Amino acid sequence: MVKRKVAALEKVDADLVSLQYKIRRDPKSYAQEFYDQWLSYDAQRHIFVSSPSTASTDDVKKFHDLVDIVAHVADLYPDLTAPFPDHLKDLLNQHHAVLHSELREKVVGSLCLLRRKEVIDSTSLLTTLFPILISTPSKTLRSLLYTKIISDLRESNSKATNHRLNRTIQTVLHNLVTSDRTSTKGMWATRITRELWRRQIWTDAKPCDVMKEACLSDNEKVVAGGVRFFLGGDKEREEMEDDSSDDEGIDIKRVKHQGGINKKSKKRMKQFEKAVDKVKRQERKKSAPHPLNFSALHLIHDPQGFAELLFQKHLQNTKCKFTLDNKLLILQLVTRLVGLHKLTIISLYSWFVRFLTPKQAQVTSFLGSLAQATHNLVPPDALEPLVVKIANEFVSEASASEVAAAGINGIREIAIRQPLCMSETLLQDLVLYQRSKDKGVVMAAKGLQSLYREVYPELLQKKYRGKDATMGLRSGEVKLRKFGEEDTGGIEGIELLEQWKQEQREKKLAEQALIEAEGGEVKKIDDDEDGFNSDEWEVGSDDSDESDNGWINVSDDEEDGEPAKKRPKQTQMTDEDKANAIAEANRISVLATTSILTPADLAKLQELVREANIDKAMGGRTSKRKKELIARHIDEGVTAEDIELPATIGKKSTKEEREALAREGKPGRDEHKSTQAIRKSKKEAEGKSSTNKEKARKKNFMMTLGKARAKNKRSLIDTKASLKAHVAKAKQGGRRRNGVA
């Protein structure tokens, strides 16, 4: 056999790899060899730096290998290799545009390797890579640097949050966006911030400040990146969290079974221990408390000023030449801020007027944005002209059914948030559209009618109010909320706990009355006694027998001592004020104002709230439907699909849509498999083995030929003996003697 000739460079590669291995094993013994390689690296570096663009392929290859070996063992000789990181930084900063692609990638990888070996810190690495990222024209180098920056920040925050490094990088990104608002360099700040927010590495308010400045930039691409962060960054973070939680875990039984039937080895034992550790980590992750991650829209500082600047700079300004799609994105962000934080920008509503026509492109997006910008603190006078404009432009007998359905549904979304925007005459006209022949228009009109039955039934005619609304008006339960009126805070479900305590008290009184009638001993029941032992508290709260319930009567103390100051003369209350005061006093829970809730009370309160929610989900009483309708879409916003929903439901689907719906979830003709083939592939995916019959069926015919011939030549006595042996072996449990006790 002819021996292959080994090239000189291949011998050098083999020698360097072998030397690297030996140095890692015994650094002291090979210090002189490494020193020789270091001198060779230093001489080659001087030659290469003098003219990097004219270096030959052999010189580039040699310098590449020398950089590789020095980077791998630099941590073993820290004194000798101290200037090595600075050499790489200078080479990358000064000559990154003319370096060979493989050498450039090796230099970047060597810097990252030095960072993992803790020869340099993350701040030094990132401040070197980031200026090159925003200045290099090479697309491959930008992609490489972006990946390295993200991975280094993720590793730096893996064990604990590195606040110092995060603040440094966030300041760099903030300065990059604000230094030149017309440049496209800010795109890298938005990309890095959005990726780290999606991976939940940055979750505080500083990234939101960076993206806030990006939204106020003059470059359209930078503005679009910042706006998309606020509109979709939280959704991306939730989707990534769901994907990571839905990963299939390791089957411990399968790994253990394979270790039992296969030959035992250290490798399989390590695999089993690794699988057990992974399962334990997953269990700990499930039981760990969920991190409190606020939405990016909630972390914005001064949302009022930010929304006004965004609206004035990019929407109200006629000199802004952004595309319609990007303007719609900005409009959605402004309206989301207005609706979420209940801001007041009166000029925003008058700006909408010229876009509320059916001929306007993407008009449903404008309708959804208008609904997002509406809340209960918006003056009805600012909304009523818009509602009338929508009704006149969209809802008429001459309008198409899709246009009318979208108009009525848009008005309904506005009325959910501010019911006072509608006049009685206009509401009656819109409700009459439930007599239309189109299903989408009928659904939209009935939805508007159902809404006002809940929030403002007085505007409807009596025949359209419904039974519940009519009875509520008569009893006084249904009451119109005035403009600017807010619900006072309190404990959710406290009225359920108060009602339950009252029922328990009445039940005990009935039992004691029965015992007293039979002549037994009656135990006195305190007014505050319930089904729990409240005496377990270290500090008593209900054990006071005084009539004043522990409150100090200030007026009595003043009468005993110095005379009280002359009180101002009280104005006489009208009948309406008295009625309102009585209703307010009845509304406030006595339990919440006169006693302290024990842990048992809180547990029962949680149980009662859970039961009420279950009853409500199963179609029970909907006492809080009014609040839910008003608070709808506050967090997720209103989209064009929500406005177009009635029209799409009422519209008859085409043949192509029905065929696509029928094919959904079914394999194509090229992927068709029989039931047996599907079962076989499923078993292979689960890692299960085939049966003995399947193995025998796949056995080579020539291997079975001798056994078949021997069977044919057997006599009756031999056949009988083999059958007896088979039966005896089966009774013993087969070859493994599984049947033996």
Side-chain angles (χ1 to χ4, degrees):
M1 184 176 180
V2 181
K3 291 185 65 177
R4 187 177 70 89
K5 293 183 179 180
V6 181
L9 286 176
E10 293 183 5
K11 290 182 179 179
V12 172
D13 291 343
D15 293 342
L16 290 178
V17 173
S18 175
L19 179 61
Q20 178 184 334
Y21 174 74
K22 293 175 182 177
I23 290 174
R24 299 295 301 177
R25 295 290 298 270
D26 192 359
K28 293 182 179 179
S29 301
Y30 292 91
Q32 182 61 38
E33 284 78 358
F34 176 74
Y35 182 70
D36 295 339
Q37 296 297 329
W38 173 259
L39 294 178
S40 177
Y41 153 78
D42 197 30
Q44 192 71 22
R45 182 182 66 86
H46 285 293
I47 297 172
F48 189 82
V49 169
S50 62
S51 59
S53 58
T54 59
S56 63
T57 307
D58 294 341
D59 293 339
V60 171
K61 175 66 176 173
K62 186 176 180 181
F63 187 61
H64 175 281
D65 296 335
L66 290 172
V67 169
D68 186 30
I69 187 173
V70 174
H72 276 86
V73 298
D75 56 326
L76 302 176
Y77 306 99
D79 297 333
L80 183 61
T81 60
F84 179 65
D86 295 332
H87 293 168
L88 297 182
K89 292 177 185 178
D90 295 339
L91 181 65
L92 197 61
N93 287 325
Q94 297 174 9
H95 308 289
H96 64 84
V98 296
L99 286 177
H100 192 269
S101 60
E102 293 183 0
L103 179 59
R104 188 170 57 191
E105 185 176 349
K106 174 55 67 177
V107 173
V108 174
S110 300
L111 282 172
C112 296
L113 180 62
L114 294 175
R115 162 67 188 93
R116 288 196 297 270
K117 292 178 178 294
E118 297 183 355
V119 177
I120 59 176
D121 56 354
S122 292
T123 305
S124 176
L125 174 65
L126 295 176
T127 52
T128 302
L129 299 183
F130 195 76
I132 304 173
L133 172 67
I134 62 178
S135 61
T136 179
S138 174
K139 187 175 181 180
T140 56
L141 181 58
R142 289 199 303 264
S143 177
L144 176 65
L145 294 177
Y146 175 75
T147 305
K148 296 296 183 183
I149 289 172
I150 295 297
S151 61
D152 184 73
L153 285 170
R154 184 176 61 181
E155 291 175 4
S156 301
N157 291 273
S158 58
K159 295 182 180 179
T161 304
N162 193 340
H163 293 286
R164 179 177 295 178
L165 176 64
N166 293 341
R167 287 288 178 264
T168 302
I169 301 302
Q170 287 165 1
T171 304
V172 170
L173 297 179
H174 188 275
N175 295 336
L176 178 65
V177 175
T178 56
S179 60
D180 187 3
R181 294 189 179 272
T182 59
S183 175
T184 57
K185 295 179 180 179
M187 287 182 58
W188 289 107
T190 59
R191 284 189 62 184
I192 293 173
T193 305
R194 188 171 183 177
E195 181 65 20
L196 295 175
W197 181 270
R198 186 176 70 90
R199 294 178 180 272
Q200 299 191 23
I201 299 173
W202 290 353
T203 56
D204 55 350
K206 194 65 183 287
C208 298
D209 292 339
V210 176
M211 303 305 279
K212 175 182 172 183
E213 295 297 332
C215 293
L216 298 175
S217 175
D218 295 330
N219 187 275
E220 187 172 0
K221 293 183 178 179
V222 179
V223 172
V227 171
R228 285 193 175 94
F229 167 77
F230 287 111
L231 293 178
D234 300 318
K235 189 175 181 180
E236 291 176 355
R237 184 171 62 178
E238 293 172 1
E239 289 176 354
M240 186 173 183
E241 186 177 356
D242 294 340
D243 293 341
S244 61
S245 62
D246 292 341
D247 291 340
E248 293 185 0
I250 297 176
D251 190 356
I252 294 294
K253 292 184 179 179
R254 175 187 166 190
V255 177
K256 196 172 183 180
H257 174 68
Q258 290 178 348
I261 62 176
N262 295 331
K263 183 180 178 181
K264 292 181 174 60
S265 63
K266 291 183 178 180
K267 181 180 178 181
R268 289 195 177 91
M269 287 300 296
K270 288 182 179 179
Q271 288 178 350
F272 179 71
E273 293 174 357
K274 188 176 180 180
V276 172
D277 292 339
K278 186 172 182 180
V279 171
K280 288 182 179 179
R281 286 198 303 269
Q282 290 176 351
E283 293 297 329
R284 286 196 299 267
K285 189 176 180 181
K286 289 180 181 178
S287 59
H290 189 275
L292 185 60
N293 292 329
F294 289 98
S295 170
L297 293 171
H298 290 88
L299 295 176
I300 295 177
H301 177 67
D302 188 17
Q304 176 74 36
F306 175 52
E308 289 180 354
L309 282 175
L310 204 60
F311 173 65
Q312 293 171 3
K313 187 171 185 178
H314 299 311
L315 296 177
Q316 208 172 20
N317 186 11
T318 56
K319 296 181 180 180
C320 182
K321 302 300 180 183
F322 289 177
T323 61
L324 179 62
D325 293 336
N326 288 332
K327 281 192 174 183
L328 279 174
L329 286 175
I330 298 170
L331 179 61
Q332 288 176 12
L333 177 57
V334 172
T335 53
R336 283 284 297 276
L337 288 171
V338 171
L340 183 63
H341 296 280
K342 295 187 177 181
L343 310 179
T344 303
I345 305 178
I346 300 299
S347 58
L348 174 65
Y349 304 100
S350 59
W351 179 84
F352 268 105
V353 174
R354 62 191 177 113
F355 298 102
L356 299 179
T357 59
K359 296 180 181 180
Q360 172 65 43
Q362 303 185 26
V363 66
T364 51
S365 298
F366 284 98
L367 290 174
S369 300
L370 176 58
Q372 281 184 155
T374 306
H375 52 84
N376 61 337
L377 298 181
V378 178
D381 297 339
L383 293 174
E384 189 172 357
L386 297 175
V387 174
V388 173
K389 178 75 179 296
I390 295 172
N392 294 336
E393 294 284 346
F394 289 81
V395 188
S396 65
E397 296 294 339
S399 301
S401 57
E402 294 85 356
V403 176
I408 297 176
N409 199 37
I411 293 174
R412 177 180 175 273
E413 292 292 340
I414 297 172
I416 285 175
R417 295 155 178 77
Q418 181 54 280
L420 300 176
C421 68
M422 184 77 66
S423 64
E424 184 175 359
T425 306
L426 180 58
L427 179 61
Q428 298 303 330
D429 293 341
L430 295 176
V431 168
L432 290 177
Y433 276 90
Q434 60 185 312
R435 301 175 185 175
S436 174
K437 295 181 180 180
D438 185 77
K439 186 177 179 181
V441 178
V442 172
M443 292 179 62
K446 286 187 176 181
L448 184 63
Q449 176 185 339
S450 301
L451 168 67
Y452 272 89
R453 282 180 176 179
E454 295 286 341
V455 298
Y456 199 175
E458 294 179 357
L459 282 183
L460 292 169
Q461 293 182 1
K462 290 185 178 180
K463 60 180 179 180
Y464 294 118
R465 290 177 183 173
K467 178 182 176 182
D468 295 337
T470 304
M471 294 177 63
L473 286 173
R474 290 179 180 176
S475 61
E477 295 179 1
V478 178
K479 184 181 178 182
L480 175 64
R481 182 179 297 180
K482 299 178 182 179
F483 172 66
E485 184 179 354
E486 295 281 354
D487 288 333
T488 55
I491 304 174
E492 182 183 1
I494 189 66
E495 66 279 357
L496 299 175
L497 181 62
E498 190 171 4
Q499 183 181 359
W500 181 83
K501 283 179 172 286
Q502 183 64 28
E503 292 175 356
Q504 293 294 320
R505 192 176 294 109
E506 293 176 356
K507 183 178 179 181
K508 286 193 174 185
L509 288 174
E511 291 177 357
Q512 292 203 358
L514 184 61
I515 295 173
E516 185 178 1
E518 294 177 356
E521 184 178 357
V522 180
K523 180 182 177 182
K524 184 179 179 182
I525 300 178
D526 296 336
D527 292 340
D528 296 334
E529 187 177 350
D530 49 35
F532 299 101
N533 186 8
S534 301
D535 296 335
E536 294 179 358
W537 283 86
E538 295 182 0
V539 180
S541 60
D542 299 342
D543 53 354
S544 178
D545 296 333
E546 298 177 3
S547 59
D548 55 3
N549 293 327
W551 294 96
I552 300 174
N553 194 341
V554 181
S555 60
D556 293 343
D557 295 341
E558 290 175 352
E559 289 175 1
D560 295 340
E562 297 179 0
K565 295 181 180 180
K566 187 176 180 181
R567 297 182 178 88
K569 186 177 180 180
Q570 297 181 356
T571 57
Q572 190 174 0
M573 296 178 64
T574 62
D575 296 338
E576 184 178 357
D577 295 338
K578 291 180 180 179
N580 293 335
I582 294 173
E584 182 69 15
N586 293 332
R587 190 189 63 79
I588 299 175
S589 173
V590 178
L591 182 65
T593 55
T594 58
S595 62
I596 299 175
L597 298 182
T598 64
D601 292 337
L602 296 175
K604 189 63 182 179
L605 175 63
Q606 187 177 5
E607 179 185 350
L608 293 172
V609 171
R610 192 185 306 115
E611 291 177 357
N613 292 334
I614 292 173
D615 294 341
K616 177 182 173 184
M618 296 177 63
R621 297 180 63 185
T622 57
S623 58
K624 295 185 179 179
R625 176 172 172 78
K626 179 179 177 180
K627 294 180 181 179
E628 291 177 354
L629 287 171
I630 295 174
R632 182 170 170 254
H633 292 315
I634 285 182
D635 291 330
E636 64 272 17
V638 184
T639 61
E641 288 77 13
D642 296 331
I643 303 297
E644 299 169 0
L645 184 61
T648 55
I649 293 177
K651 184 180 178 181
K652 187 176 181 180
S653 59
T654 61
K655 182 180 179 181
E656 290 77 11
E657 293 174 349
R658 292 195 298 271
E659 289 179 354
L661 185 62
R663 290 196 190 98
E664 187 178 355
K666 296 181 181 179
R669 289 293 181 185
D670 52 342
E671 301 176 358
H672 179 71
K673 292 181 179 180
S674 62
T675 306
Q676 188 175 3
I678 293 174
R679 290 176 182 172
K680 183 179 178 181
S681 61
K682 186 177 180 182
K683 286 180 67 176
E684 291 177 355
E686 293 175 355
K688 295 181 179 179
S689 178
S690 57
T691 61
N692 290 335
K693 288 184 179 181
E694 292 175 351
K695 292 175 181 176
R697 193 180 299 117
K698 293 181 179 180
K699 200 169 186 179
N700 191 1
F701 175 72
M702 298 304 293
M703 297 175 66
T704 62
L705 191 59
K707 187 175 182 180
R709 286 175 178 173
K711 277 190 175 183
N712 290 332
K713 292 180 180 180
R714 284 189 305 180
S715 63
L716 292 174
I717 296 174
D718 295 336
T719 305
K720 183 179 179 181
S722 64
L723 289 174
K724 280 186 177 181
H726 174 71
V727 173
K729 189 179 290 185
K731 288 181 179 179
Q732 294 174 358
R735 292 171 60 188
R736 297 190 180 185
R737 301 294 192 271
N738 293 327
V740 180

